[in-house]
């Protein structure tokens, strides 16, 4: 993180992608907040020591994992976070639930001290236009969800929202993970 912050003109660094998700985190310590806190502390202290204006983004969890965040806040995690992030795919079926998810996240931060509330960034959210199956979303529904989620985030005071994904990862129309793009991969 320090090398990236020193090499590039970064506004922020995100500390691990979906640490709470076993698919991405296979460390022996596990995915508990007590395992994440040393990584967050080290990143925060190192980056802030060299680049004090670079924001450190904590969490970036798969879904809004309330028990995970509450565990992190209980052990002092907010002291090492300029921004809080999560990937709220639990709104995949009903995007209108996004407001409740954000309110719950803010409430959890408030429960651990109003002076420690941090801005929330949605650093990953999208809908797959996979050809078939229970997760299939039409292109028009994907477009509508983009507009709805962006609008709900603005209303909730979320200053940054990042769409997953700009371009489909492969031309395989039957692979859920490959079809989150707003543009096709026709290779």
């Amino acid at each position: 993180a320090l090398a990236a912050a020193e090499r590039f003109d970064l506004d922020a660094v995100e500390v691990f992608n979906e640490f709470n998700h076993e698919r991405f985190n296979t460390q022996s310590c596990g995915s508990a907040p007590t395992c994440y806190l040393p990584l967050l502390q080290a990143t925060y202290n190192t980056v802030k020591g060299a680049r004090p204006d670079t924001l450190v983004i904590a969490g970036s969890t798969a879904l809004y994992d309330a028990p995970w965040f509450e565990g992190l806040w209980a052990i002092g995690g907010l002291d090492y976070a300029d921004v809080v992030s999560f990937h709220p795919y639990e709104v995949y079926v009903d995007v209108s639930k996004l407001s409740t998810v954000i309110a719950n996240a803010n409430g959890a931060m408030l429960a651990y001290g109003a002076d420690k509330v941090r801005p929330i960034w949605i650093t990953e959210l999208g809908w797959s236009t996979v050809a078939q199956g229970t997760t299939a979303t039409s292109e028009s529904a994907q477009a509508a969800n983009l507009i709805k989620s962006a609008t709900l985030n603005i209303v909730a005071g979320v200053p940054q929202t990042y769409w997953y994904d700009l371009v489909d990862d492969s031309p395989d129309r039957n692979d859920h993970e490959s079809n989150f793009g707003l543009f096709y991969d026709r290779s």
Side-chain angles (χ1 to χ4, degrees), residues 3-163:
E6 288 178 336
R7 171 74 172 89
F8 302 102
D9 184 24
L10 302 177
D11 292 328
V13 293
E14 186 176 82
V15 182
F16 212 99
N17 180 58
E18 300 186 353
F19 187 90
N20 68 325
H21 195 308
E22 291 179 11
R23 181 172 144 203
F24 297 114
N25 181 357
T26 58
Q27 299 176 64
S28 61
C29 184
S31 59
T34 53
C35 298
Y36 181 75
L37 184 61
L39 176 62
L40 179 61
Q41 288 172 318
T43 304
Y44 185 91
N45 291 333
T46 302
V47 169
K48 290 297 195 176
R51 299 282 308 267
D53 293 338
T54 301
L55 300 174
V56 175
I57 306 170
S60 303
T61 57
L63 310 176
Y64 172 65
D65 188 340
W68 190 90
F69 277 108
E70 290 168 10
L72 183 61
W73 304 156
I75 58 175
L78 280 170
D79 293 334
Y80 302 96
D82 298 310
V83 174
V84 172
S85 167
F86 46 87
H87 308 154
Y89 286 105
E90 62 267 38
V91 304
Y92 198 87
V93 175
D94 183 0
V95 71
S96 68
K97 293 180 181 178
L98 189 55
S99 299
T100 302
V101 172
I102 294 166
N104 290 342
N106 279 319
M109 284 187 277
L110 284 170
Y112 289 92
D115 61 326
K116 295 183 179 182
V117 172
R118 302 293 183 260
I120 293 172
W121 289 11
I122 304 300
T123 56
E124 181 180 316
L125 184 60
W127 281 262
S128 176
T129 57
V130 66
Q132 57 189 347
T134 59
T135 59
T137 302
S138 69
E139 291 170 358
S140 60
Q142 181 193 52
N145 287 337
L146 184 151
I147 300 297
K148 287 177 190 174
S149 63
T151 302
L152 290 168
N153 286 339
I154 290 167
V155 169
V158 173
Q160 300 283 338
T161 300
Y162 296 87
W163 183 264

